[in-house]
Amino acid sequence: MSSAALPEPQVLAHAKRRLFPEDDQSETYAVVDTQFAGGEWLAGQPIDEAVREALAPFNHVRVGSGYPDLVGVRALESDLLAVERLGEDPPLVAVEAKGVTEHGGVDTQRGIVQAYDRLGEANAAYVAVPAAAVTGADRTLARELNVGVLGVDASGRVDPVETPRVVGNRSSPEATAIRYQASAQGVADKSFGLNHPKNYLGYPLAHYADGSTEQLLADNEVVRAVDDARRGAAFLGLVTEGAAGVDLTPLGREVVRFAKARYGSVERALAEFQSWYRSSRCFYDLAPDWADLARRVVFAYPATRLLVEELQTMHDDGFERPTLVELVRYLHEVHPTFAVEVFLRGDEDVRSRALTAEGDLRTGPLREGRSYHAPTVFQLKAMLYHTGILTERGAEPSNLDPTADVWALRERV
């Protein structure tokens, strides 16, 4: 197959591998538009399963006046950009792909213009096309519009033919949801491995106290899953993890101040955790002062604030005890990208069944527990319950009935 004969899904898959390699463990995240989640691209031309897996996860994200084929966040290599970086945050990147059409051509210039439209909200925009289809006129237009051109060949090699300058701009709520997923606080498969906020409060205390963090957590019966406790504490913004080790954040230091003010030392505060070991009671009723502290920490988590505000709005609109299905459908109307990213699992099977090519939700998959992201419907919801925000705790997706799983505020305003 010549590079000019590459179909659009394959062009996009190669471009995604180049811009967002799977082995990159930094703050990076990318989604491909839902039009690529189906079994066919052109009539009678199936999308290879390996290509669909490479393109997943899918979402329908508005950037500028349309929906790019790919949108993501990553600190790109210098050879992909005319200016290496803008500020401290990695750029929001939008990609339009063009492959061979049923008439045998490649509409490169249309892709360049579409990519240019995304610069109203993206920091860098690219068009990805078969390398043999790029003309001198295409390169001139791309330079004039500040659009990068990625030339793709049949072997999968992707070369930057033109490199864009990184620009600063406004960010829509939809683009912000992708930035959120790429950040240290985005919802990942291992964001919350534990379902009780005390486990995350205990970590900065044990880290600050004299002695082994792991031993202090075990001796005071806080938690034995130390890695999960550290990871969750980082997602809640209590600690940061770097090459030099773990450091307390300002929020984590505030937890230490609370403990020292209340008990005189963090060691005595940690001893209090033993009285809560294996208690099934709601933490808000068991230890109100600590639960209030945990509530402030959990509320600082960005997803919590949005969920609480929208649940309040649902209550005002007559949804006093919304089910998980009702909540996700409602959220998808007002914050579609957030709803999909926070609640639905990112694998190709779930997203392709739950979303149409236009990005609309199909109700059937929403009724299946396995469609949902465990860190949200189990661990995060359990923490919202224990901090007195929600009326009911969470459940593992394997035990979840989304039509009966209630998401209601304990206190409505």
Side-chain angles (χ1 to χ4, degrees), residues 65 100 132 143 160 353 362:
S65 64
V100 63
R143 284 195 299 271
R353 290 189 306 108
R362 295 187 179 101

Side-chain angles (χ1 to χ4, degrees), residues 73-371:
V73 173
R74 180 173 175 259
L76 300 177
E77 291 79 8
S78 59
D79 65 326
L80 291 166
L81 298 170
V83 177
E84 187 170 347
R85 62 185 305 169
L86 181 75
E88 295 297 320
D89 296 327
L92 181 76
V93 178
V95 179
E96 295 292 344
K98 296 297 176 186
V100 63
T101 68
E102 55 191 351
H103 303 297
V106 179
D107 200 348
T108 303
Q109 294 202 0
R110 181 167 179 263
I112 293 171
V113 173
Q114 289 176 323
Y116 170 71
D117 172 77
R118 313 306 175 222
L119 285 175
E121 293 173 4
N123 300 119
Y126 295 86
V127 62
V129 294
V134 181
T135 67
D138 297 333
R139 296 185 63 174
T140 298
L141 178 62
R143 284 195 299 271
E144 290 176 350
L145 298 182
N146 190 29
V147 170
V149 179
L150 302 174
V152 182
D153 70 18
S155 70
R157 180 184 174 92
V158 179
D159 291 313
V161 180
E162 295 291 337
T163 54
R165 301 181 308 278
V166 179
V167 298
N169 49 46
R170 61 190 174 86
S171 189
S172 69
E174 298 307 282
T176 298
I178 299 301
R179 286 194 179 281
Y180 167 68
Q181 282 291 63
S183 73
Q185 288 194 311
V187 179
D189 289 336
K190 297 181 179 180
S191 54
F192 296 119
L194 307 167
N195 58 12
H196 201 299
K198 73 174 180 64
N199 300 319
Y200 304 124
L201 291 179
Y203 188 87
L205 298 181
H207 175 74
Y208 178 86
D210 292 331
S212 162
T213 300
E214 181 174 355
Q215 195 63 47
L216 285 165
L217 290 172
D219 289 347
N220 291 282
E221 297 183 312
V222 180
V223 63
R224 295 189 181 276
V226 178
D227 289 344
D228 284 333
R230 183 184 66 253
R231 189 179 298 114
F235 271 82
L236 287 172
L238 295 170
V239 300
T240 58
E241 300 179 272
V246 176
D247 288 315
L248 296 180
T249 65
L251 187 59
R253 289 194 290 272
E254 193 60 29
V255 171
V256 171
R257 292 188 186 99
F258 173 89
K260 292 177 73 173
R262 190 61 57 95
Y263 296 90
S265 73
V266 291
E267 289 78 10
R268 283 196 288 271
L270 281 168
E272 177 74 7
F273 281 64
Q274 297 181 46
S275 64
W276 308 327
Y277 185 60
R278 290 187 175 177
S279 173
S280 61
R281 288 183 61 191
C282 175
F283 196 47
Y284 194 74
D285 300 321
L286 179 65
D289 291 345
W290 280 95
D292 275 337
L293 174 64
R295 185 185 184 116
R296 295 198 294 273
V297 171
V298 172
F299 204 84
Y301 185 63
T304 301
R305 296 195 296 270
L306 190 145
L307 281 171
V308 169
E309 286 303 306
E310 294 305 334
L311 285 170
Q312 177 66 52
T313 301
M314 290 186 75
H315 177 267
D316 296 341
D317 291 343
F319 292 90
E320 295 189 2
R321 290 176 54 80
T323 66
L324 177 57
V325 174
E326 291 171 332
L327 171 61
V328 173
R329 288 181 62 86
Y330 179 90
L331 282 175
H332 194 261
E333 291 295 323
V334 291
H335 301 288
T337 302
F338 176 90
V340 171
E341 295 300 331
V342 172
F343 281 92
L344 298 186
R345 282 171 46 200
D347 60 86
E348 179 267 334
D349 175 65
V350 169
R351 296 281 178 96
S352 61
R353 290 189 306 108
L355 296 168
T356 69
E358 295 75 28
D360 297 324
L361 282 175
R362 295 187 179 101
T363 302
L366 297 185
R367 299 192 180 104
E368 303 171 8
R370 67 189 183 95
S371 297

Side-chain angles (χ1 to χ4, degrees), residues 10 12 28 151 279 379:
Q10 195 156 355
L12 186 60
T28 179
S279 173
Q379 284 91 353

Side-chain angles (χ1 to χ4, degrees), residues 35-84:
Q35 64 178 312
F36 294 94
E40 288 188 347
W41 179 245
L42 300 177
Q45 295 185 18
I47 300 177
D48 185 86
E49 186 61 30
V51 171
R52 289 175 63 195
E53 289 178 1
L55 294 176
F58 302 103
N59 205 344
H60 196 51
V61 183
R62 188 178 184 90
V63 178
S65 64
Y67 298 85
D69 293 332
L70 182 152
V71 59
V73 173
R74 180 173 175 259
L76 300 177
E77 291 79 8
S78 59
D79 65 326
L80 291 166
L81 298 170
V83 177
E84 187 170 347

